[in-house]
Every structure is written in C-alpha cells, then in structure tokens.
C-alpha cells in the first residue's frame, strides 16, 4: 500500500462481533437461538464465538477465554476433542443419517445401560426437552394418572406442562410460567420445594391417587448448583413407591457428569425412569429416556405411547457420545473432582479475603457461586442472592478472559481439558474482581 500523502482518517472497522450481532438480531428473537445466550441477565454484548479447543474458546474479534460454559454441559472433555471430531467425521462421511437403525445407536445404548443398570431399555431423541416430555408421557400411561410433581427452580426443558410455576399457595393450582402455556397444561403440574420431602408428601396427601410421577434434578443445577441434602432423594424414592407414582431422575446435566453412573450411582437411589442428554451426545444434539423394560415397552411401536423423531439416534451424535463415554474413566472423574475442589476453595478464599458474602454450590465438576453468605438449599434461598453482584462479577471475569455462564442460576462446567493453570488464573481474576 503506498504511503498516504496527508492525514488519514482510518475508518474504524466496526468490530466484526457487532456486525454478526446486528445480523443475528434481524434473524432470531433477541438475536439468539436460546434465551440465556443473549446475556440479558449480566449485560454487555454477547460474544460471537467462532472456535474452541480444549478449555479455551475464541470470539470473532480474536479474544480468547477460559470457558466454563462448555455448551452448558455436553463438553466434559473440552472443545474439539480429537476422538469426538473423528467420530463425527467418520459417521458423516459414511453418509448418515439414514432414518434406519445403525450400529452407532446400538453401541451407545449399550454403553449407557452398562453405566446405568436402571436403564434396562431406552429411546434416543434429539434434546433433553423431548426426553423429559416423553418420560412423563410414559409415566402417565403407566399409572393412568394425570398429575406431575416438579420442584420450584427445577428445569426439564420447555414442554408446556413443565413451564408451570407455583400458585399463590400450596392449595391453589399452578400457573403458566410462560405465555402460550394454557392454564390447563400448567394445572397438571404441582410444585414442591427442593430438599423438602414434606412439601412432596403434602401434595400426595392432597391429591390421592392422582400423581403419575415426581420429576427431579437429583442435583439441582438450573437454580445454580444445589446438592440434595442427605436423605432427600431416598425420601422421594420412598414417597413415590408408597403412593404408586414413578420417580423420574432428570439426569440431563448430572448423567455422566457427577459420576459415570450419574447421580443415581453417586447417591445410590434408583429411579423408575431416567432422562438424559448433553454428555451422551458428546456435543451433538441428543436426548434419551429410559428405565425398566416394562415401562419402555409401553412406547410405540411396542406399546400405546406414541413418540417419534426424524433425527433420533443420529449416527454422528451417537458416535460422538460413544467416543466421549469411552474416555470417561476413573482418572478423568478424579481429575474433575480435584479441579472442582481447587476452584471452589480458591473462589471462597478470594471472596473471604475481600470480605465478600459468597457461597459455592458444587458437586464434582459442576459448580455455582452465590452472592449470599451460605449455600442455598432451595429456590427461595437462591433468590435471596444478589443478581447485580453476579452481573458485575461476570463482566469483570469476562474482561479478564474468563467466560462464565451468563446467568447467576446456571452451573459452571469444568472439563477434563481444564488445567491447574486455568483454575489458578480463574481464582486470580476472581480475587481482582472481588477487590474491585
Ligand atoms: P435441552 O432441550 O435444552 O437439550 O434440555 C433441556 C434440559 C432438561 N433437563 C435439564 C436438567 C436441563 O438442564 C436442560 C437444559 N439445560 C439448559 C441449561 N440450564 C440448556 C441451556 C439453554 O437452555 O440454552
């Protein structure tokens, strides 16, 4: 380029991210394909991510971050794990999908059953939402009952009946938690309090013979990470058995995350039905529901419960999931546990040194910080945390090159690709953020 002969007003290149966001906003509601990605809870411009490797992601403006979003859970091995990339390439080059049974789905189904013996039979679908709604359809068919109990702060995907919020009192009907959900759909879902078996017992006593299932995240992770208090899951198991209802563990997040056998292995409580997603697809679109053979054989074409899906059992998703599960051995879980503990301790001491009220909810590589003094045990206590403090914290960490999930009630996800240096850098960034 020849040297300019006068002052040059360089037209500042609009950051490429701004261009992509403008185009996205003209195409998608809120400019995103899932609400949390719009960063409304934390402010700031949502990043446009173009690549990731291991524990690092890069945005379109060239900034890199240590990533604790991990696509909200699937990437327990980190971004672009070679064995997973190769599995997707192989199945895609083989010409899939076919709309027919493939060896890949048979192998992944077997690997899931080996890890979770309660899943005697299962059905693959393409999202956790589909899996949860189908599991509840099976529960209603199996029991001939209409009502479902979920927990305030629990999230099981966006099927109508699961978008219900508690009415004014325990006695009143649940209300729709979203526009477009009918009062009738919401009324069939009853709301209990997480970690409070008495609230579940009261619903059973108030609705004798009408509850088909209790669905629970065995480790709550959609109100932030709130572990089950000792005995909570066992009491759900006992209450549902006593009242002829099914116990459904939504292990979309916890499955293969908190242990190879999921929360049901970690806490030794066996549900009737299990809902899976995320990790079992290795980052590709996936969901699954499974349980006792007698229950799953109610599903078409074996039985009267209809459920179907064009891309169910997509061979690339199956192979990506299988490649992932094959790499999840005891050493990986030990490493995730160690890194999780180190991150928790570092965050807690950084906040303590700065006199910040902060608690951490953690199970293994799944954790959340709460800007409140003690770790919450249910959704009411979660809501006492300071969302503005989290928003400021999120922004400061982002500035420091640490990408946290953009909402205080989301879980952070460590991967096997995170290193001690990543954790150390995260704690140092938090230390500076708490001081600011
Ligand atoms: P999907 O339909 O999003 O695949 O799965 C729904 C679902 C079901 N059950 C549990 C316990 C879940 O956490 C989810 C989805 N999790 C959210 C993260 N909190 C997905 C992120 C998003 O909605 O963009």
């Amino acid at each position: 380029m020849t040297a300019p002969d006068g002052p040059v007003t360089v037209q500042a290149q609009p950051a490429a991210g701004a261009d992509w966001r403008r185009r996205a906003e003209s195409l998608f509601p809120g400019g995103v394909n899932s609400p949390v990605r719009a960063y409304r809870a934390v402010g700031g411009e949502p990043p446009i991510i173009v690549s990731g490797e291991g524990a690092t992601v890069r945005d379109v403006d060239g900034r890199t971050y240590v990533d604790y979003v991990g696509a909200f859970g699937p990437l327990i091995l980190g971004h672009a794990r070679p064995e997973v990339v190769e599995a997707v390439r192989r199945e895609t080059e083989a010409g899939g999908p076919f709309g027919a049974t493939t060896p890949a789905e048979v192998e992944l189904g077997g690997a899931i059953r080996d890890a979770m013996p309660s899943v005697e039979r299962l059905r693959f679908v393409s999202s956790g939402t589909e899996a949860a709604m189908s599991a509840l359809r099976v529960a209603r068919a199996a029991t001939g009952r209409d009502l479902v109990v979920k927990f305030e702060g629990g999230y099981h995907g966006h099927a109508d009946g699961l978008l219900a919020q508690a009415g004014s009192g325990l006695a009143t009907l649940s209300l729709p938690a979203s526009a477009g959900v009918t009062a009738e759909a919401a009324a069939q879902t009853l709301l209990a309090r997480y970690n409070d078996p008495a609230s579940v017992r009261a619903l059973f006593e108030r609705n004798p013979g009408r509850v088909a299932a209790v669905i629970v995240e065995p480790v709550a992770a959609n109100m932030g990470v709130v572990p089950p208090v000792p005995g909570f899951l066992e009491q759900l198991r006992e209450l549902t058995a006593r009242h002829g209802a099914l116990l459904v563990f939504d292990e979309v997040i916890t499955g293969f995350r908190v242990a190879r056998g999921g929360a049901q292995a970690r806490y030794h409580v066996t549900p009737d039905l299990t809902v899976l997603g995320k990790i079992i697809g290795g980052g590709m679109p996936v969901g699954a529901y499974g349980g006792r053979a007698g229950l799953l054989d109610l599903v078409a074409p074996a039985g009267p419960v209809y459920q179907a899906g064009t891309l169910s059992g997509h061979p690339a998703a199956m192979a990506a999931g299988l490649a992932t599960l094959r790499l999840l051995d005891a050493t990986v879980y030990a490493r995730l546990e160690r890194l999780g503990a180190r991150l928790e301790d570092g965050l807690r001491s950084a906040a303590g040194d700065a006199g910040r009220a902060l608690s951490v909810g953690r199970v293994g590589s799944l954790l959340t910080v709460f800007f409140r003094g003690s770790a919450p045990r249910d959704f009411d206590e979660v809501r006492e945390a300071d969302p503005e403090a989290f928003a400021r914290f999120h922004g400061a960490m982002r500035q420091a090159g640490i990408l946290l999930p953009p909402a205080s009630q989301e879980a952070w996800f460590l991967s096997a690709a995170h290193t001690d240096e990543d954790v150390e850098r995260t704690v140092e960034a938090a230390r500076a953020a708490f001081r600011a």
Side-chain angles (χ1 to χ4, degrees), residues 33-37 71-73 126-132 154-158 162 215-223 250-254 275-278 285-287 409-411 413:
N33 283 299
S34 199
V36 67
R37 306 177 190 173
F72 290 100
S126 296
S127 70
T129 293
E130 271 187 276
Y155 180 68
H156 309 287
H158 63 87
L162 290 165
I215 185 167
V216 65
E217 292 180 63
V219 173
N222 281 286
M223 55 172 119
D250 180 342
E251 296 225 39
V252 166
I253 284 185
T254 56
V275 178
L276 295 168
K278 297 185 193 269
V286 75
Q409 294 174 13
E410 292 293 349
F413 295 95

Side-chain angles (χ1 to χ4, degrees), residues 196-417:
D196 177 5
S199 70
V200 181
R201 185 177 306 110
L203 289 174
F204 272 118
E205 286 162 3
R206 196 182 301 277
N207 301 278
R210 297 188 56 208
V211 176
V214 172
I215 185 167
V216 65
E217 292 180 63
V219 173
N222 281 286
M223 55 172 119
V225 177
V226 178
V229 298
F232 173 58
L233 297 178
E234 291 82 348
Q235 290 194 57
L236 291 188
R237 177 63 284 176
E238 190 272 328
L239 273 169
T240 46
R242 178 163 5 120
H243 291 276
L246 299 187
L247 179 58
V248 183
F249 271 13
D250 180 342
E251 296 225 39
V252 166
I253 284 185
T254 56
F256 296 92
R257 168 68 60 177
V258 301
R260 186 171 172 84
Q264 56 195 269
R266 189 177 182 116
Y267 296 100
H268 312 293
V269 175
T270 303
D272 299 300
L273 288 169
T274 298
V275 178
L276 295 168
K278 297 185 193 269
I279 290 173
I280 65 164
M284 299 292 285
V286 75
Y289 61 102
R292 280 201 309 277
L295 291 173
L296 267 289
D297 286 343
L298 289 170
V299 179
V305 177
Y306 193 71
Q307 180 269 307
T310 302
L311 294 174
S312 296
H314 189 296
M318 301 292 101
L322 188 63
T324 299
L325 266 53
R326 282 179 170 159
L327 291 164
L328 290 177
D329 60 18
T331 54
V332 172
Y333 288 105
R335 173 179 170 72
L336 290 170
E337 180 57 45
R338 184 178 66 77
L339 285 175
R342 182 164 181 190
L343 180 55
E344 174 181 358
D345 294 347
L347 290 168
R348 206 197 292 280
S349 68
D353 294 350
R356 295 282 178 195
L358 183 113
S359 55
V360 178
R362 180 178 75 86
V363 177
S365 57
L366 197 55
L367 77 152
T368 304
V369 298
F370 297 96
F371 283 85
R372 73 191 295 276
S374 60
R377 283 161 313 162
D378 59 41
F379 194 44
D380 286 344
E381 294 187 357
V382 163
R383 283 189 293 210
E384 290 165 0
D386 180 352
E388 278 69 46
F390 178 79
R392 289 193 300 275
F393 178 63
H394 186 278
M397 295 295 274
R398 184 179 174 184
Q399 282 299 320
I402 309 293
L403 199 61
L404 304 180
S408 60
Q409 294 174 13
E410 292 293 349
W412 305 13
F413 295 95
L414 272 156
S415 80

Side-chain angles (χ1 to χ4, degrees), residues 114-148:
D114 291 347
M116 296 182 166
S118 76
V119 179
E120 295 175 349
R121 297 158 89 69
L122 68 161
R123 169 64 62 84
F124 287 114
V125 293
S126 296
S127 70
T129 293
E130 271 187 276
M133 67 188 255
S134 305
L136 293 178
R137 189 177 300 144
V138 168
R140 289 183 160 123
T143 59
R145 299 175 177 183
D146 295 346
L147 302 182
V148 164

Side-chain angles (χ1 to χ4, degrees), residues 41-188:
V42 295
E45 295 294 349
I48 305 288
I49 306 287
V50 291
S51 67
E53 186 178 359
T56 303
V57 293
R58 173 186 298 276
D59 73 16
V60 73
D61 298 314
R63 279 185 291 269
T64 59
Y65 303 90
V66 176
D67 179 34
Y68 288 94
V69 180
F72 290 100
L75 298 179
I76 192 167
L77 296 176
H79 296 277
R81 176 74 186 234
E83 295 87 341
V84 176
V85 173
E86 169 54 23
V88 172
R89 188 195 59 74
R90 184 185 69 241
E91 293 300 333
T92 307
E93 275 187 354
F98 305 104
T101 299
T102 66
E105 65 205 73
V106 173
E107 289 199 292
L108 180 60
I112 290 170
R113 180 164 62 187
D114 291 347
M116 296 182 166
S118 76
V119 179
E120 295 175 349
R121 297 158 89 69
L122 68 161
R123 169 64 62 84
F124 287 114
V125 293
S126 296
S127 70
T129 293
E130 271 187 276
M133 67 188 255
S134 305
L136 293 178
R137 189 177 300 144
V138 168
R140 289 183 160 123
T143 59
R145 299 175 177 183
D146 295 346
L147 302 182
V148 164
V149 173
K150 73 176 286 285
F151 293 86
E152 290 182 297
Y155 180 68
H156 309 287
H158 63 87
D160 277 7
L162 290 165
L163 295 179
Q165 61 191 356
S168 54
L170 203 57
T172 56
L173 292 182
S174 305
L175 303 172
S178 161
V181 171
T182 62
E184 293 76 13
Q188 300 210 313

